[in-house]
Structures are given as C-alpha cells and as structure tokens.
Amino acid sequence: MRALLKFSNGVDWLNTQIGKHVIWLILASTVISGLNAIVRKVFNVSSNAYLEVQWYLFAASFLIAAGYTLLQNEHVKIDVVSSRLSKRGQIWVDIIGFTLFLTPVCVALLYYGIPFFLRGLQSGEVSGNAGGLIRWPVYAMIPLGFTLLLLQGWSELIKRIAFLKGLIEDPTVKKVEKTAEEELAEAIRRLAETKTNAG
C-alpha cells in the first residue's frame, strides 16, 4: 500500500502543478477575446483564427484541469443520497464511482480519443473556416485531459482505500492552504518581529 500511496502523491503533485498553471490559459483566452473585439470595432478587421484560438485555449483549460478539479473535490456530485450516509458509506460510494464509472469512461474516451488525435495529426486537418487553425493541437487535449483525470481517479481510489484501512486521514476533507496574500502578510509579520527582537 505504501507504493500505491507514493504513486497517489505523485499524481496529486502533478495535477496540482497543472492546476496552478492552467489558469493562464483562461487569461490568455480572455485577453485574445478582448483584443479581437477592440481590433474588430476600431479597425474593422478580424480573423477566424482569433476566434478559434479562444476556444482552443478554453477547451485545453477545461480538459487539462479536470484532474485538478477532482483532486480538489470540486466535481459535481449528487449529495442528496451520499449526505445521508455515514463517512464510511460516502467513501464506499466514491470507491464504487471511481471503479465502475470514472475508470471505464476515461478508458473508453482514451480508446477513441487517441486514434482521433493521431488521425488529425497525420492528416494535418485544418478548420473549415477561412483563416482557421490546424485541429490536432486541440484534439491532443482529449487524451491528455482524460489521462490526467484517470490518473487522479486512481489516486483518489487509493486514498479512499487507505483511509478505510486507517492508514491516512480523511482524503475528502479539504486542507486549507494559505493564500499568497496570507503568506505575504505572515512573512511581513515575521520580518517585523525579527526587527523588534533585534532592536
């Protein structure tokens, strides 16, 4: 079980790093959208490429961050039933869900998604819109996103089994992390205390 928990920690770390950086894709999509609107209104010029790159970035952020969202326990759940169960009952619902639903769905999407991406890559498929972009980069997000989601699903499964065995704390309880502002305030406070003690 120790090796599985190590694997789980590695997957958690990977999706955490991705989750921290994927937000920049949303910012890029927003900036491109704003600039496209300004250029279109001021200069009466536009391109389908600008429109397509926005949805490429949005699709990438949505798919790549799916694993991170699962790690943060932010996926939509039907809590009407599980909220009435004991903690062990809730954990068993998660185990069944990860095993019988999440894993087969991700495997099926990878089974169809990888060839779909490879066909687009080999053919050099381009959007049918005038000035449109090549399609394979956005097709690549399907296998990448569902691989990350599948790995995170397995990580969550491992953690729930370990919890039932009494090896770790409840993995469904969110650990409150300090925000960047809180860390800065604490660093300033420590600096002030150091100067006060030195003086």
Side-chain angles (χ1 to χ4, degrees):
M1 195 72 199
R2 191 172 296 165
L4 290 173
L5 284 170
K6 213 170 193 178
F7 167 79
S8 174
N9 289 336
V11 171
D12 290 356
W13 178 85
L14 174 64
N15 273 317
T16 298
Q17 297 310 306
I18 290 168
K20 285 180 180 177
H21 294 95
V22 80
I23 190 72
W24 293 104
L25 297 178
I26 303 249
L27 176 62
S29 179
T30 305
V31 168
I32 291 167
S33 177
L35 290 174
N36 187 33
I38 290 167
V39 168
R40 191 172 61 245
K41 294 291 182 188
V42 174
F43 301 106
N44 199 27
V45 174
S46 186
S47 168
N48 284 324
Y50 296 129
L51 299 172
E52 289 185 9
V53 79
Q54 290 170 52
W55 72 261
Y56 277 32
L57 292 171
F58 182 76
S61 64
F62 176 80
L63 287 165
I64 294 173
Y68 176 74
T69 306
L70 181 59
L71 171 63
Q72 297 300 316
N73 203 21
E74 293 292 336
H75 279 273
V76 176
K77 290 184 177 179
I78 303 173
D79 290 332
V80 177
V81 175
S82 66
S83 63
R84 297 169 193 254
L85 300 173
S86 67
K87 175 50 73 175
R88 288 183 70 82
Q90 291 173 5
I91 294 295
W92 273 109
V93 167
D94 284 351
I95 288 172
I96 291 166
F98 293 139
T99 306
L100 300 181
F101 297 101
L102 181 74
T103 296
V105 166
C106 287
V107 168
L109 284 163
L110 287 170
Y111 179 79
Y112 290 106
I114 292 171
F116 181 67
F117 155 65
L118 291 174
R119 279 194 302 273
L121 177 64
Q122 289 167 353
S123 69
E125 181 182 345
V126 178
S127 166
N129 298 318
L133 303 175
I134 54 172
R135 290 275 172 91
W136 70 260
V138 76
Y139 292 167
M141 297 303 108
I142 297 169
L144 178 60
F146 281 101
T147 297
L148 292 169
L149 181 60
L150 178 62
L151 289 173
Q152 192 60 50
W154 289 345
S155 172
E156 298 303 315
L157 178 62
I158 290 164
K159 287 186 280 189
R160 278 148 180 83
I161 292 169
F163 171 71
L164 289 178
K165 290 185 169 193
L167 300 175
I168 62 170
E169 295 177 14
D170 184 356
T172 62
V173 174
K174 283 191 178 182
K175 294 170 182 66
V176 180
E177 294 181 6
K178 292 180 183 175
T179 64
E181 292 82 6
E182 289 171 331
E183 287 180 1
L184 178 61
E186 190 173 314
I188 292 169
R189 183 186 55 76
R190 281 196 306 265
L191 183 63
E193 284 176 0
T194 305
K195 286 187 176 183
T196 304
N197 293 336

